[in-house]
Amino acid sequence: MNHRILSVCLAVLVVVGLAAGARAAKLICVSDENLKGDQTVGSCLAKGEKFAIMDEKGVVRILTPQELEITKRLNPKILEQPAFGVKLHHKAPDIPPLPVPPQDPR
C-alpha cells in the first residue's frame, strides 16, 4: 500500500513539476464548467466538484480524489485560489508553486 501512495505522490509531483515549464498549468473545474472565480477551489472540493489539470497545450488530466488529497497536503495554496470552469479556463490562475520548506539552521 505504501508503494502505491508513493507512486501517486510521484505522479502528482511530476504533473506539478511539468506545470513549472514555460507556462504553468491551470486547475480547472470539470463538473461545473460555468464557474467564474466567485468560489475557491477548496469550497468547490468540499461540495464534491471534480477538477483537472490543464497544461499549456490544453491537454487535460482529471484528478482522482487521492491525487487531490495529496496535492492539497503538498500545496495548500491551491485551495485558496479562485475556481474556474472549463468555459472560462483562460481566466483560471496558474497553479501556485510548491511552498518552500523551512531551512534547517544546522
Side-chain angles (χ1 to χ4, degrees):
M1 183 67 173
N2 287 337
H3 178 57
R4 187 173 188 197
I5 291 173
L6 180 60
S7 296
V8 172
C9 285
L10 288 173
V12 170
L13 288 174
V14 167
V15 170
V16 173
L18 291 174
R23 282 183 26 210
K26 296 175 182 275
L27 191 63
I28 57 169
C29 183
V30 294
S31 53
D32 183 351
E33 54 185 52
N34 295 311
L35 279 176
K36 301 175 184 173
D38 51 347
Q39 300 175 51
T40 65
V41 169
S43 66
C44 290
L45 287 173
K47 293 189 295 185
E49 303 287 356
K50 294 183 182 191
F51 281 82
I53 292 180
M54 183 180 76
D55 71 14
E56 69 278 356
K57 294 181 179 163
V59 176
V60 175
R61 182 174 180 280
I62 307 296
L63 295 171
T64 67
Q66 188 176 25
E67 289 170 324
L68 280 166
E69 192 59 42
I70 293 168
T71 301
K72 290 188 300 187
R73 282 190 281 166
L74 293 172
N75 194 353
K77 289 182 181 182
I78 285 177
L79 300 176
E80 300 167 8
Q81 73 181 48
F84 286 88
V86 174
K87 289 184 179 179
L88 293 173
H89 66 84
H90 58 282
K91 291 188 176 189
D94 293 343
I95 294 175
L98 285 170
V100 178
Q103 294 291 323
D104 188 1
R106 291 187 241 173

